[in-house]
């Protein structure tokens, strides 16, 4: 047995000395921006950030240029610009999340999920009432929209990827155009096409129909992308084994794309869960639980938030922020789930 | 793929390796093989191509190929890349029409009947003429056992004893010993060579009369290639095998007949066909001789 032990090393990783130097450059840049803000007329947070970025860019460039040459200097400029762009892009998202948490968490309590608002006035203490009716309403609206949109969306995607008939191009174009429809237009369409001529009243199902118009393009486009990733060798293998096209699609292509199709579904739900305009137009609101999709107005999270904010008492505004927090968490959970399912290896 | 570096069978490197290979040594390999070629053959039995032409859009890719495949034999199709070998075998089980711009002329007779005749059920043709593809393509959503039996479900066939069929097909494909303890795991967990044998087993499960193999070893390492070749030897007693290969040693090792395809820039044509030992020892056409001795291509 050999007694020599070789320690695994990573010679390509920055040494502690390198790291200290990079941090020093960073600190010097902060110091320069602080001094500039103090001695020049440029003031405010924005000036501070902008000056820091410029001084860091220049310092880092010269530091790297002196140390490792011109190419490394330019490399460091690009790295700094990319890092700054990411920081700018992430800032609004993080600040939205922070604002929602800051204002919403005060309205959180356990009975929020077990009671509705029918016996609570807008100015009642937060502990009274809850958003059970809104959660149930949003759940039902989304579920019905899901039942309508997922089959239509996936079948559309199958037409585009498997049948590839004469109408592939126009349908693809229409699906892309549809995904840009403003939600208020979808709501007005259902209002004009169904509510005015026929039902003439608020109810849940017409809201779900409008949400479906918004959801179908998302499901169809995502499913199409997923189905395109399935290698054509699998389709050929299925057909070469004596399967008809329909059986090959049903038994080979769709199962191979299963996790991607689930992702398409979840992205579709996330697209519509927070839609407000069509719900305001078609489903209305309400303070008590209504589980009948075909009769009466129905509460929902977006409506709850809308009415809470417009009522204007301190309590109702806090309730609305709690509603926003619940809705946001719901959507984030869906996206995380979509990522998780999408990243799983096909067939595992 | 890292395997390709050492792979004597992948199109380009394969031919380079052959360059120092003289005609006589390939002929010796071919002659050393026990041939199943029958002396005489009743017409109208087996698979026959009659004046097959093929097009992709306006491009004429295959010109007037007539070729018979005797039952119980292995026929190798050799020739440089782009000469239409793969296109030709795809016309035999009607996979050619899978490509939207494809067109065709001529007849392909299976047991005396044209597979392109009006009213022929294309799925029945593909059941009788199975296919193994260049890249192993087991169904990712199915286990090993489900993969082997997938054809039964796809074609809605009834079988008395699925377990027996499963074992028989895996045995014939030379895979049974390696996978019998993990039939429930996914096909994707096997090595490339095992996956390809799984695909062969899958093709055998619907009991084809003819098996088309489109460069079945080009993505495999030499060890797996050897196993597939052994499998082909075993199969040839019960199934007509047609194999496209870039590896001339492989053609010499496994086939009874060899057909040489060539394209001079225009549509691919069949230059010569004959018993494998003759193609490699006394080719009638100068171009065949140049190709099998590695002087071009």
């Amino acid at each position: 047995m050999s007694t020599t032990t070789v320690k695994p090393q990573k010679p390509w990783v920055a040494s502690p000395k390198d790291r200290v130097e990079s941090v020093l450059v960073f600190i010097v840049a902060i110091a320069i921006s602080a001094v500039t803000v103090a001695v020049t007329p440029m003031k405010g947070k924005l000036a501070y950030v902008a000056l820091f970025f410029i001084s860091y860019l220049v310092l880092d460039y010269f530091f790297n240029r002196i140390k490792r040459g011109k190419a490394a200097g330019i490399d460091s400029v690009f790295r700094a610009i990319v890092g700054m762009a990411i920081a700018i892009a992430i800032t609004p998202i993080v600040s939205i999340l922070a604002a929602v948490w800051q204002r919403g968490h005060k309205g959180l309590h356990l009975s929020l999920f077990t009671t509705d608002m029918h016996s609570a006035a807008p100015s009642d203490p937060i502990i009274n009432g809850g958003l059970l009716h809104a959660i149930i309403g949003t759940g039902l609206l989304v579920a019905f929209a899901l039942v309508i949109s997922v089959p239509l969306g996936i079948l559309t995607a199958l037409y585009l990827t498997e049948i590839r008939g004469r109408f592939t191009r126009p349908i693809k174009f229409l699906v892309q155009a549809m995904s840009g429809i403003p939600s208020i237009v979808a709501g007005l369409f259902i209002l004009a096409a169904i509510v005015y001529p026929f039902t003439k009243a608020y109810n849940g199902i017409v809201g779900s129909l409008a949400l479906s118009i918004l959801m179908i393009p998302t499901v169809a486009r995502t499913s199409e992308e997923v189905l395109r990733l399935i290698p054509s060798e699998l389709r050929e293998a299925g057909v070469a084994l004596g399967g008809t096209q329909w059986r090959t699609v049903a038994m080979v292509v769709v199962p191979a794309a299963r996790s991607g199709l689930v992702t398409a579904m979840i992205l579709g739900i996330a697209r519509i869960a927070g839609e407000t305009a069509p719900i305001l137009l078609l489903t209305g609101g309400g303070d008590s639980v209504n589980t009948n999709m075909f009769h009466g107005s129905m509460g929902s999270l977006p409506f709850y938030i809308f009415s809470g904010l417009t009522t204007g008492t301190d309590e109702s505004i806090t309730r609305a922020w709690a509603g926003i927090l619940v809705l946001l968490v719901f959507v984030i959970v869906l996206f995380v789930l979509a990522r998780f399912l999408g990243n799983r290896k096909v067939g595992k | 793929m890292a395997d390709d570096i050492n792979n004597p069978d992948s199109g380009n490197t394969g031919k380079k390796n052959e360059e120092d290979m003289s005609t006589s040594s390939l002929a010796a390999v071919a002659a050393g093989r026990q041939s199943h070629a029958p002396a005489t053959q009743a017409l109208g039995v087996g698979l026959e191509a009659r004046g097959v032409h093929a097009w992709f859009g306006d491009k004429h890719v295959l010109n007037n190929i007539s070729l018979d495949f005797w039952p119980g034999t292995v026929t190798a199709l050799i020739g440089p890349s782009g000469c239409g070998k793969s296109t030709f075998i795809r016309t035999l089980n009607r996979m050619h029409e899978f490509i939207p711009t494809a067109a065709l002329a001529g007849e392909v007779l299976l047991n005396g009947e044209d597979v392109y005749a009006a009213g022929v059920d294309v799925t029945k043709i593909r059941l009788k003429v199975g296919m193994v593809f260049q890249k192993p393509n087991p169904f990712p959503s199915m286990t090993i056992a489900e993969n082997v039996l997938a054809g039964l479900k796809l074609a809605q066939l009834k079988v008395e004893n699925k377990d027996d069929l499963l074992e028989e097909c895996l045995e014939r494909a030379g895979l049974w010993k390696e996978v019998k303890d993990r039939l429930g795991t996914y096909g994707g967990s096997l090595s490339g060579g095992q996956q390809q044998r799984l695909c062969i087993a899958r093709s055998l499960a619907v009991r084809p009369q003819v098996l088309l193999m489109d460069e079945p070893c080009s993505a495999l390492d030499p060890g797996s290639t050897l196993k597939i070749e052994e499998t082909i030897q075993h199969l040839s007693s019960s199934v007509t095998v047609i194999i496209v290969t870039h590896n001339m040693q492989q053609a010499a090792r496994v086939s009874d007949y060899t057909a040489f395809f060539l394209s001079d820039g225009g549509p691919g044509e069949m230059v010569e066909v004959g018993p494998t030992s003759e193609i490699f020892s006394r080719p009638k056409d100068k171009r065949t001789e140049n190709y099998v001795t590695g002087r071009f291509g």
Side-chain angles (χ1 to χ4, degrees):
Chain A
M1 218 176 90
S2 167
T3 50
T4 55
T5 48
V6 180
K7 249 180 80 183
Q9 289 174 327
K10 294 185 176 177
W12 52 86
V13 172
S15 70
K17 183 169 162 275
D18 290 334
R19 267 182 235 167
V20 168
E21 284 169 354
S22 323
V23 171
L24 277 179
V25 169
F26 197 81
I27 291 170
V28 170
I30 291 176
I32 289 175
S33 62
V35 169
T36 319
V37 169
V39 301
T40 65
M42 291 184 276
K43 299 290 175 214
K45 286 180 198 162
L46 200 61
Y48 199 86
V49 171
L51 287 167
F52 164 73
F53 179 56
I54 293 164
S55 49
Y56 180 75
L57 211 63
V58 173
L59 272 177
D60 200 38
Y61 171 72
F62 282 110
F63 175 72
N64 279 293
R65 183 175 174 153
I66 291 160
K67 202 172 163 196
R68 289 184 295 145
K70 198 176 167 194
I74 293 170
D75 197 46
S76 76
V77 169
F78 275 103
R79 208 167 42 226
I81 290 174
V82 168
M84 198 65 189
I86 291 170
I88 291 170
I90 284 181
T91 307
I93 299 172
V94 172
S95 58
I96 287 174
L97 292 176
V100 169
W101 172 252
Q102 193 198 341
R103 296 174 201 199
H105 82 277
K106 284 177 270 177
L108 288 183
H109 55 92
L110 212 58
S111 61
L112 207 60
F113 304 100
T114 53
T115 54
D116 60 22
M117 291 295 289
H118 77 273
S119 56
S123 52
D124 272 7
I126 301 293
I127 199 76
N128 283 7
L131 34 76
L132 180 67
H133 63 298
I135 292 173
I136 288 179
T138 287
L140 282 172
L141 288 168
V142 168
F144 271 71
L146 189 74
V147 168
I148 299 166
S149 310
V150 166
L152 286 176
I154 291 181
L155 288 173
T156 306
L158 287 175
Y159 180 84
L160 295 178
T161 58
E162 307 301 320
I163 308 225
R164 282 179 293 171
R166 203 146 27 111
F167 301 109
T168 302
R169 275 168 177 278
I171 286 177
K172 207 173 159 171
F173 176 76
L174 275 178
V175 169
Q176 281 173 357
M178 257 178 89
S179 50
I181 289 183
S183 57
I184 186 79
V185 174
L188 284 170
F189 169 71
I190 297 292
L191 191 72
I194 295 176
V195 177
Y196 279 168
F198 304 113
T199 60
K200 293 189 174 63
Y202 285 138
N203 65 34
I205 193 73
V206 286
S208 283
L209 285 177
L211 293 179
S212 299
I213 293 178
L214 302 169
M215 189 176 176
I216 288 170
T218 308
V219 175
R221 289 183 68 179
T222 318
S223 305
E224 187 203 343
E225 273 164 37
V226 169
L227 289 168
R228 267 192 209 293
L229 289 179
I230 302 299
S232 62
E233 286 94 13
L234 289 182
R235 300 183 175 93
E236 295 198 349
V239 173
L241 281 169
T244 57
Q245 188 183 20
W246 148 243
R247 290 191 73 82
T248 303
V249 166
M251 293 178 49
V252 177
V253 179
V254 170
R258 192 186 50 211
S259 65
L261 294 177
V262 172
T263 305
M265 197 172 92
I266 292 172
L267 290 179
I269 298 175
R271 164 81 177 81
I272 60 163
E275 280 300 345
T276 316
I279 306 265
L280 287 181
L281 273 178
L282 301 167
T283 303
D287 287 336
S288 40
V289 172
N290 173 13
T291 52
N292 187 348
M293 284 294 283
F294 299 93
H295 185 263
S297 61
M298 187 183 253
S300 61
L301 283 170
F303 186 89
Y304 181 89
I305 295 161
F306 175 80
S307 62
L309 288 175
T310 48
T311 302
T313 65
D314 283 349
E315 290 80 5
S316 75
I317 288 175
T318 306
R319 282 199 185 92
W321 279 102
I324 294 173
L325 184 60
V326 169
L327 184 58
L328 209 60
V329 167
F330 175 67
V331 173
I332 289 172
V333 165
L334 284 181
F335 271 111
V336 169
L337 205 62
R339 281 216 71 117
F340 172 72
L341 292 170
N343 285 345
R344 278 195 318 178
K345 264 192 84 181
V346 170
K348 292 285 162 74
Chain B
M1 212 185 286
D3 285 357
D4 280 350
I5 297 163
N6 302 320
N7 184 359
D9 198 22
S10 70
N12 298 324
T13 55
K15 266 163 261 149
K16 296 262 159 37
N17 292 345
E18 308 290 344
E19 265 167 23
D20 55 355
M21 184 68 69
S22 70
T23 321
S24 56
S25 70
L26 275 171
V29 174
R33 181 174 181 275
Q34 191 105 49
S35 179
H36 300 286
T40 56
Q41 188 64 49
L43 281 174
V45 177
L47 188 63
E48 303 160 45
R50 294 267 174 273
V52 170
H53 296 252
W55 291 265
F56 291 118
D58 295 332
K59 195 170 156 41
H60 194 184
V61 292
L62 211 53
N63 186 32
N64 196 23
I65 311 290
S66 293
L67 193 51
D68 295 348
F69 304 99
W70 309 128
T73 64
V74 179
T75 304
L77 309 183
I78 60 170
S81 295
C83 66
K85 310 177 298 285
S86 297
T87 305
F88 175 66
I89 67 164
R90 288 169 65 95
T91 64
L92 299 176
N93 68 339
R94 294 190 58 171
M95 289 297 286
H96 180 56
E97 66 210 50
F98 214 69
I99 291 147
T101 58
L104 176 112
E107 287 181 327
V108 174
L109 305 179
L110 180 63
N111 304 326
E113 287 175 38
D114 186 5
V115 302
Y116 287 98
V120 169
D121 181 356
V122 61
T123 58
K124 297 252 160 56
I125 298 299
R126 290 180 187 143
L127 278 177
K128 283 185 192 150
V129 186
M131 188 160 198
V132 175
F133 295 83
Q134 193 167 352
K135 255 170 61 186
N137 54 3
F139 297 134
S141 57
M142 299 185 192
T143 64
I144 292 171
E146 285 166 349
N147 258 288
V148 174
L149 301 172
L152 303 175
K153 272 167 82 186
L154 278 162
Q156 293 176 282
L157 302 177
K158 289 263 178 332
V159 168
E160 298 248 322
N161 192 331
K162 284 189 176 171
D163 290 342
D164 285 354
L165 181 70
L166 178 66
E167 181 173 348
E168 181 209 315
C169 293
L170 285 169
E171 191 72 64
R172 285 171 79 194
L175 192 60
W176 175 250
K177 285 200 189 74
E178 291 159 59
V179 301
K180 65 179 176 194
D181 297 324
R182 47 170 173 155
L183 295 168
T185 57
Y186 285 97
S189 64
L190 298 172
S191 76
Q194 289 173 326
Q195 287 188 16
Q196 192 64 301
R197 278 177 283 149
L198 177 61
C199 293
I200 293 174
R202 183 176 70 184
S203 307
L204 294 174
V206 295
R207 303 209 179 280
Q209 182 183 337
V210 181
L211 190 60
L212 309 174
M213 305 178 107
D214 187 359
E215 295 181 49
C217 306
S218 68
L220 306 181
D221 65 281
S224 304
T225 302
L226 204 66
K227 287 219 168 96
I228 303 261
E229 286 179 10
E230 282 169 12
T231 303
I232 294 170
Q233 300 283 5
H234 288 300
L235 292 180
S236 61
S237 56
S238 52
V239 184
T240 309
V241 178
I242 302 167
I243 177 170
V244 169
T245 177
H246 275 126
N247 181 338
M248 276 176 286
Q249 284 175 295
Q250 183 171 62
R253 280 194 298 262
V254 302
S255 69
D256 304 299
Y257 294 98
T258 297
F260 173 54
F261 281 60
L262 189 62
S263 154
D264 55 1
E269 294 182 352
M270 189 176 68
V271 174
E272 188 173 353
V273 61
T276 299
S277 54
E278 281 184 27
I279 293 287
F280 284 110
S281 59
R282 313 180 279 283
K284 295 189 185 74
D285 197 291
K286 188 70 187 161
R287 290 171 293 173
T288 314
E289 192 184 331
N290 286 343
Y291 186 74
V292 299
T293 52
R295 248 168 253 155
F296 85 99

